């Protein structure tokens, strides 16, 4: 009987030990799982870093492409009038606008300062050798009113150029840079006043 009790106690002790061992093993596994779970955010952080770096590189590549495209557009923009000048589009168009504004306002004093003399011809009886002669010609003879009216509705986007210079309103006015180093533009043809001895006749 005592042996049976002793054996039963021993069995209970062994079972208890096994249960304890299994419990600690489960706890160890549980701890391992917890450690892995704790480590996961670090992996996620790495993934986020990689993703952020990829996005950053993508943005940089897009910016580089955009800059290249902008440079190409800028180069095209700068060469719009290179058939007759090294000046920028802005410089050419700014002069065209000054000419148009002055002519539309009939500010002949300002227009007179923009002309390359002599202009006109003896054959057409409209030769102007200087600003004073130009102003006298305009006051005495004037310009065709139809051409003046057409010029009033002309838009700067219609400005075009060839080797002779820039053309306003289908040839009503021509100008070009007479000093390429200074990029100094002058009117070389204005309505019926054509470039004296020059190439522009239409």
């Amino acid at each position: 009987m005592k042996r049976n009790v002793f054996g039963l106690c021993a069995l209970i002790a062994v079972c208890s030990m096994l249960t304890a061992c299994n419990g600690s093993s489960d706890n160890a596994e549980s701890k391992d799982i917890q450690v892995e779970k704790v480590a996961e955010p670090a992996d996620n952080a790495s993934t986020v870093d990689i993703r952020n770096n990829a996005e950053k590189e993508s943005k940089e590549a897009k910016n580089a492409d955009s800059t290249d495209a902008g440079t190409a557009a800028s180069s095209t923009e700068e060469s719009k009038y290179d058939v007759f000048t090294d000046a920028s589009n802005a410089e050419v168009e700014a002069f065209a606008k000054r000419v148009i504004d002055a002519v539309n306002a009939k500010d002949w004093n300002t227009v007179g300062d923009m002309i390359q003399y002599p202009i006109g011809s003896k054959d057409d009886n409209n030769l102007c050798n200087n600003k004073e002669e130009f102003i006298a010609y305009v006051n005495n003879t004037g310009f065709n009113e139809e051409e003046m009216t057409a010029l009033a509705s002309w838009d700067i986007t219609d400005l075009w150029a060839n080797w002779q210079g820039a053309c306003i309103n289908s040839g009503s006015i021509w100008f070009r840079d007479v000093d390429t180093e200074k990029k100094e533009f002058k009117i070389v043809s204005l309505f019926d006043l054509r470039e004296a001895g020059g190439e522009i006749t239409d």
Side-chain angles (χ1 to χ4, degrees):
M1 178 82 174
K2 285 182 182 178
R3 283 184 183 176
N4 287 342
V5 170
F6 180 74
L8 186 59
C9 287
L11 184 60
I12 291 170
V14 170
C15 286
S16 296
M17 287 175 66
L18 286 173
T19 303
C21 286
N22 283 340
S24 65
S25 173
D26 289 343
N27 287 341
E29 286 177 10
S30 176
K31 284 179 185 174
D32 289 343
I33 291 168
Q34 287 176 356
V35 168
E36 286 176 11
K37 285 183 179 176
V38 169
E40 264 184 51
D43 291 342
N44 286 343
S46 298
T47 304
V48 169
D49 287 343
I50 290 168
R51 191 175 298 135
N52 286 343
N53 286 340
E55 287 174 3
K56 183 178 177 185
E57 287 173 6
S58 175
K59 283 179 185 175
E60 286 173 356
K62 284 179 184 174
N63 288 341
D65 290 343
S66 175
T67 302
D68 291 343
T71 303
S74 176
S75 297
T76 303
E77 185 71 15
E78 288 172 5
S79 66
K80 188 174 177 184
Y81 302 108
D82 69 352
V83 68
F84 82 96
T85 183
D86 290 330
S88 70
N89 285 354
E91 290 170 312
V92 174
E93 290 170 3
F95 185 80
K97 186 170 185 333
R98 282 178 49 221
V99 170
I100 293 301
D101 289 348
V103 172
N104 284 335
K106 298 185 178 180
D107 181 358
W108 304 124
N109 188 56
T110 298
V111 174
D113 289 331
M114 298 174 159
I115 293 174
Q116 175 70 20
Y117 297 100
I119 193 168
S121 70
K122 285 183 179 177
D123 292 342
D124 294 332
N125 199 30
N126 62 4
L127 179 64
C128 302
N129 292 296
N130 52 49
K131 177 179 171 180
E132 290 72 25
E133 290 181 10
F134 165 73
I135 291 174
Y137 173 79
V138 174
N139 289 334
N140 293 330
T141 306
F143 296 117
N144 184 299
E145 284 302 319
E146 287 181 16
E147 288 185 304
M148 290 287 292
T149 302
L151 191 64
S153 61
W154 183 83
D155 190 87
I156 196 73
T157 57
D158 294 326
L159 184 68
W160 61 274
N162 64 23
W163 62 272
Q164 299 174 102
C167 178
I168 296 173
N169 197 38
S170 302
S172 293
I173 302 171
W174 284 84
F175 67 89
R176 66 169 164 262
D177 48 355
V178 294
D179 187 329
T180 53
E181 287 185 11
K182 292 180 182 177
K183 295 176 186 172
E184 180 186 5
F185 297 112
K186 290 286 187 179
I187 297 168
V188 293
S189 180
L190 178 67
F191 299 117
D192 58 332
L193 297 176
R194 304 294 178 188
E195 182 178 18
E199 299 291 334
I200 298 172
T201 55
D202 295 325

